[in-house]
Amino acid sequence: MPNNLIYEKSPYLLQHSNNPVDWYPWCDEAFELARQLDIPIFLSIGYSTCHWCHVMEIESFEDEVIAEMMNKAFVNIKLDREERPDIDSIYMEVCQILTGSGGWPLTIIMTPEQKPFFAGTYFPKYSQFGRIGMYELITKIDELWKTRREDILQSAESITTRLLISEKSDDFDISPEQIFREAYKQLSSSFDYRYGGFRNAPKFPTPHNLQFLLRYWKIMNEKNALEMVEKTLTAMRYGGIYDHIGFGFHRYSTDNKWIVPHFEKMLYDQSLLITSYTEAYLATKNELFKKTALETTSYILRELTSEEGGFYSAEDADSEGIEGKYYLWSDDEIKQVLKEDADTFRRYFSVLDKGNFHFEHQFDNNANILFMQFSHSEHSKALGINEETLNSIINRCINTLLQARNNRIKPYKDDKVLTDWNGLAISALALAGFTFDKPKLI
């Protein structure tokens, strides 16, 4: 039987509408029921293309035993963080205060008065690797609520107070120029000068950092700021975080070399990166940046555009229940599809006969992530093929593999149309259209 999410519009909530967990959307009815039953609220926040949200659903929310425990101990609320970013931002801050980190799925347990006393992200069904499991967590919270209620309420009050204090802005006696210099100093100190990007793995594209550095270079005439941008954008374009067949960028890289991505694709990442690559082209006239910006616009127009003209939100990392399966290639597949062009393509994109990427579980171990170790001109010299001819071969291979990939089962597409993300896409397409003289994009 469907639960209370069955009447919602959100794709994420509808995904959970047939769970045995008696989910409610965020509504007064749920909080009033918690007050009447005198039990806590279990709030689970995520979004439709979130890989670990799927894992937690399969392991726990679809499990009859766990669902029965949740239904007895809590009033359970599901929230789409893309539908209600205002609520998500509050409880994400709670999670960061309590644990020092955050992410999705976001798990919050709170009083019927919406005051949180426990926070975390993904929890397995049973405790493992030092992480408490749902079975033990529900049991423990239920026991504490019944036997040490006063301690829980005091903790909830303390967390709420800390949250309110953190919302108060401080007045800093510092000039705007000092703020910009300090921001540049912090970015340069956390920059990975070997592989590009900031800090260690996992590495996110962080286009807002790159756009700041471009402006800092322009205004302050700081050469290193531009070099950081060039290094990062080039490394991402060469890496597996970029979809070399269908174009566009995956969510983040799980390694520090930008090779192994988390395969999800988000509209806002594409939009912000189109802007970054376009602005970097204006600064450097690097043709690779122009090519990347335009290829990413083609991905948006092909895969994320509705018939009415609105832009869809995201594509999942998973297909057929396996993360990345849609994007990976075996050596045999490439040889079979590309025939006489296969060897050139294999060397260009680092393909190995036994695979260059090995799953911890699922799929086969002959999978290849496509990524470049050298520039186009360096590949041209190594292969003994002039750049124009090599470009023609690679483009032909990409088109052939894209047609072959289209026959696979595609990842789930979140067809939700969000106003703010559409604004980013419109802005990015217009900028690229103006910069590269492409009226269609405008």
Side-chain angles (χ1 to χ4, degrees):
M1 291 292 291
N3 54 47
N4 297 287
L5 302 180
I6 193 65
Y7 303 108
E8 295 299 304
K9 293 185 294 184
S10 156
Y12 176 65
L13 299 186
L14 289 172
Q15 283 176 355
H16 291 269
S17 63
N18 284 296
N19 292 165
V21 177
D22 188 18
W23 293 116
Y24 283 81
W26 182 276
C27 61
D28 292 339
E29 179 187 354
F31 293 105
E32 180 58 35
L33 180 61
R35 283 189 288 270
Q36 290 175 7
L37 298 176
D38 192 29
I39 55 178
I41 299 281
F42 184 98
L43 173 64
S44 179
I45 303 175
Y47 56 103
S48 69
T49 57
C50 164
H51 172 70
W52 288 103
C53 298
H54 300 330
V55 174
M56 195 166 176
E57 178 186 19
I58 292 167
E59 289 180 346
S60 296
F61 303 149
E62 291 182 348
D63 182 87
E64 296 284 351
V65 174
I66 296 295
E68 185 178 359
M69 294 174 68
M70 290 177 67
N71 293 339
K72 287 181 179 179
F74 309 118
V75 170
N76 301 289
I77 295 178
K78 260 290 175 192
L79 185 81
D80 184 341
R81 67 108 171 176
E82 295 166 357
E83 191 174 48
R84 292 301 304 268
D86 52 337
I87 299 172
D88 172 63
S89 64
I90 293 170
Y91 291 108
M92 183 58 73
E93 186 172 353
V94 169
C95 187
Q96 290 168 339
I97 288 173
L98 292 179
T99 70
S101 62
W104 297 278
L106 176 59
T107 302
I108 300 289
I109 303 178
M110 58 185 172
T111 69
E113 291 70 37
Q114 301 177 26
K115 295 180 178 181
F117 58 87
F118 179 87
T121 53
Y122 160 78
F123 293 98
K125 182 177 178 180
Y126 296 111
S127 300
Q128 56 181 322
F129 308 118
R131 183 187 291 265
I132 191 170
M134 283 292 289
Y135 187 90
E136 291 81 3
L137 176 63
I138 299 166
T139 303
K140 189 67 174 176
I141 295 292
D142 188 43
E143 177 191 343
L144 291 173
W145 183 259
K146 291 172 181 175
T147 62
R148 296 176 58 184
R149 176 84 60 91
E150 203 57 44
D151 291 344
I152 286 179
L153 295 179
Q154 286 181 9
S155 176
E157 286 296 336
S158 174
I159 293 165
T160 304
T161 301
R162 287 175 64 185
L163 188 64
L164 292 172
I165 291 171
S166 71
E167 288 177 354
K168 295 180 179 178
S169 60
D170 295 319
D171 293 324
F172 293 101
D173 185 19
I174 182 172
S175 70
E177 185 171 326
Q178 286 175 295
I179 291 173
F180 298 141
R181 289 189 185 280
E182 181 62 27
Y184 167 71
K185 180 181 175 182
Q186 290 191 19
L187 287 173
S188 59
S189 66
S190 65
F191 186 70
D192 183 344
Y193 284 90
R194 184 174 183 183
Y195 298 115
F198 303 92
R199 299 185 178 85
N200 296 318
K203 277 185 178 173
F204 287 79
T206 58
H208 46 288
N209 288 349
L210 305 178
Q211 290 169 24
F212 167 79
L213 288 171
L214 283 171
R215 284 152 182 77
Y216 193 87
W217 158 75
K218 183 70 174 176
I219 295 167
M220 302 294 196
N221 195 30
E222 177 55 66
K223 184 180 178 183
N224 184 54
L226 180 59
E227 289 175 351
M228 285 194 282
V229 173
E230 291 182 278
K231 178 77 174 179
T232 302
L233 292 179
T234 301
M236 288 197 303
R237 178 57 173 75
Y238 287 174
I241 192 174
Y242 188 69
D243 178 2
H244 294 274
I245 301 302
F247 310 139
F249 287 87
H250 298 297
R251 187 72 185 91
Y252 60 84
S253 176
T254 62
D255 68 310
N256 65 344
K257 298 179 183 179
W258 303 103
I259 293 175
V260 183
H262 173 52
F263 290 90
E264 186 180 358
K265 284 181 171 182
M266 312 296 290
L267 175 64
Y268 61 81
D269 284 330
Q270 317 308 321
S271 303
L272 290 167
L273 285 166
I274 288 168
T275 301
S276 295
Y277 277 94
T278 302
E279 290 184 349
Y281 171 80
L282 289 169
T284 65
K285 294 300 184 284
N286 185 329
E287 286 295 320
L288 179 67
F289 297 162
K290 175 181 178 180
K291 177 178 171 67
T292 307
L294 289 176
E295 285 180 353
T296 307
T297 65
S298 73
Y299 164 70
I300 288 181
L301 296 177
R302 186 184 71 246
E303 299 292 347
L304 295 181
T305 305
S306 72
E307 291 183 5
E308 297 81 8
F311 301 109
Y312 297 141
S313 293
E315 288 191 302
D316 209 322
D318 302 12
S319 58
E320 301 179 70
I322 300 172
E323 183 182 3
K325 183 173 183 180
Y326 183 72
Y327 299 100
L328 299 167
W329 300 87
S330 71
D331 188 50
D332 288 341
E333 278 183 294
I334 288 172
K335 290 176 179 176
Q336 183 179 352
V337 173
L338 297 182
K339 298 180 172 58
E340 66 272 8
D341 289 332
D343 189 54
T344 300
F345 182 88
R346 291 171 69 253
R347 294 175 65 182
Y348 195 91
F349 283 113
S350 313
V351 174
L352 301 177
D353 56 350
K354 294 184 179 180
N356 61 26
F357 174 68
H358 300 283
F359 287 90
E360 292 181 6
H361 58 279
Q362 302 177 323
F363 207 43
D364 60 61
N365 280 331
N366 296 319
N368 284 281
I369 297 171
L370 303 182
F371 67 95
M372 299 167 59
Q373 299 188 59
F374 312 106
S375 69
H376 185 76
S377 60
E378 289 171 320
H379 276 293
S380 172
K381 292 175 184 176
L383 293 166
I385 304 172
N386 72 61
E387 289 190 37
E388 188 174 338
T389 302
L390 179 59
N391 191 55
S392 176
I393 293 170
I394 295 302
N395 286 339
R396 181 167 67 239
C397 290
I398 287 171
N399 290 331
T400 302
L401 288 176
L402 181 61
Q403 291 177 23
R405 198 174 78 176
N406 284 337
N407 293 321
R408 297 177 176 177
I409 296 174
K410 289 191 173 186
Y412 166 79
K413 188 173 303 192
D414 184 341
D415 60 2
K416 185 164 67 275
V417 177
L418 296 166
T419 304
D420 49 357
W421 295 9
N422 271 245
L424 286 175
I426 291 165
S427 173
L429 292 172
L431 176 65
F434 175 76
T435 302
F436 304 124
D437 191 24
K438 301 289 183 182
K440 180 185 176 184
L441 296 180
I442 298 171

